[in-house]
Amino acid sequence: MEDGLLYWVLKHIFIGPWLWLLFRPKVEGLENVPAEGAAIMASNHLSFSDSIFLPLVVKRRITFVAKAEYFTGKGIKGWISRAFFGGTGQIPLDRVGGSAAAGALATGARILNSGELFGIYPEGTRSPDGRLYKGKTGVARLALETGAPVVPCAMVNTHIVQPPGKIWPRFVRVHIKIGKPLDFSRYEGNAFDRFVERSITDEIMYELMELSGQEYVDVYAAKLKNQDAQPPAEPLAAAA
């Protein structure tokens, strides 16, 4: 079964109806999603389930990129993984020159240039503690290179539904808030200008903060996670 058909079958027949029944998602601002044409769906990132609930409530297909490993498994488990991720609108990440970030942007540009919706998490990784972290400028570069508007999307309660590391979800009502599209055409021709890209990204993150009600932290989430992963320093007494 082709991914496109599988996507609609899972969304409307096998998975979607159960998600609506169990989690009763509340949606605000659905009218802000363009009825046609390219758009960047920029969301905060609290949980793995964000990539399921946002496509669930939006009528048009949203494509996210996912780790290539999800699509290369062997046997029945590999088939299930490919079917699930492909059927929920995710495609394998094409690494350009070995860079995951460059691969995600190249994939996003291809999708947007085809007039479709592309989902992206400007924070780059899931929030480690429920707060909103500094956005990476890839979302701005995509907007500048493709001319696509950016639609801010705030996911609320998904970190309670599916906390990192937990297999079984909790049946808590999910809330999705979709803001008005942001037009950055005034910056046309300024792709790769790091000051412009940072200004655009900060504007997007401000809209996400307003929509989600999260506390904003002006630090990259990945940096915080890497610091937490480091072994504790030796006590001063032991080092003396």
Side-chain angles (χ1 to χ4, degrees), residues 65 92-111 118 120 136-139 141-142 145 192:
V65 293
L93 174 63
D94 295 326
R95 291 180 179 268
V96 177
S99 169
L105 293 181
T107 302
R110 176 170 53 81
I111 292 167
F118 180 68
I120 190 171
K136 297 188 175 183
T137 57
V139 61
R141 186 167 302 173
L142 268 182
E145 289 185 344
F192 298 98

Side-chain angles (χ1 to χ4, degrees), residues 152-229:
C153 307
M155 310 299 295
V156 181
N157 286 342
T158 53
H159 64 301
I160 301 175
V161 170
Q162 189 76 48
K166 300 295 182 180
I167 297 176
W168 301 108
R170 296 174 59 189
F171 299 123
V172 177
R173 191 174 194 187
V174 172
H175 191 179
I176 299 109
K177 300 180 180 180
I178 302 175
K180 294 182 178 180
L182 304 174
D183 178 13
F184 296 108
S185 58
R186 63 188 183 277
Y187 294 115
E188 184 178 0
N190 285 287
F192 298 98
D193 183 319
R194 62 191 183 94
F195 295 106
V196 171
E197 290 181 350
R198 172 46 57 193
S199 177
I200 291 173
T201 304
D202 288 345
E203 183 176 338
I204 294 168
M205 300 312 294
Y206 178 82
E207 292 296 325
L208 289 178
M209 179 185 71
E210 289 288 293
L211 282 171
S212 68
Q214 292 171 277
E215 176 186 350
Y216 178 74
V217 183
D218 195 30
V219 174
Y220 293 118
K223 181 177 181 180
L224 184 67
K225 287 182 177 181
N226 290 338
Q227 290 176 343
D228 291 342

Side-chain angles (χ1 to χ4, degrees), residues 8-52:
W8 295 111
V9 168
L10 291 179
K11 179 174 180 177
H12 296 291
I13 299 177
F14 291 116
I15 295 180
W18 288 103
L19 293 176
W20 280 104
L21 177 65
L22 295 172
F23 297 98
R24 301 172 295 117
K26 177 183 178 182
V27 190
E28 294 181 39
L30 197 57
E31 69 279 3
N32 291 322
V33 180
E36 58 183 20
I40 301 168
M41 308 296 289
S43 174
N44 62 333
H45 199 13
L46 296 172
S47 165
F48 163 80
S49 62
D50 295 333
S51 299
I52 297 175

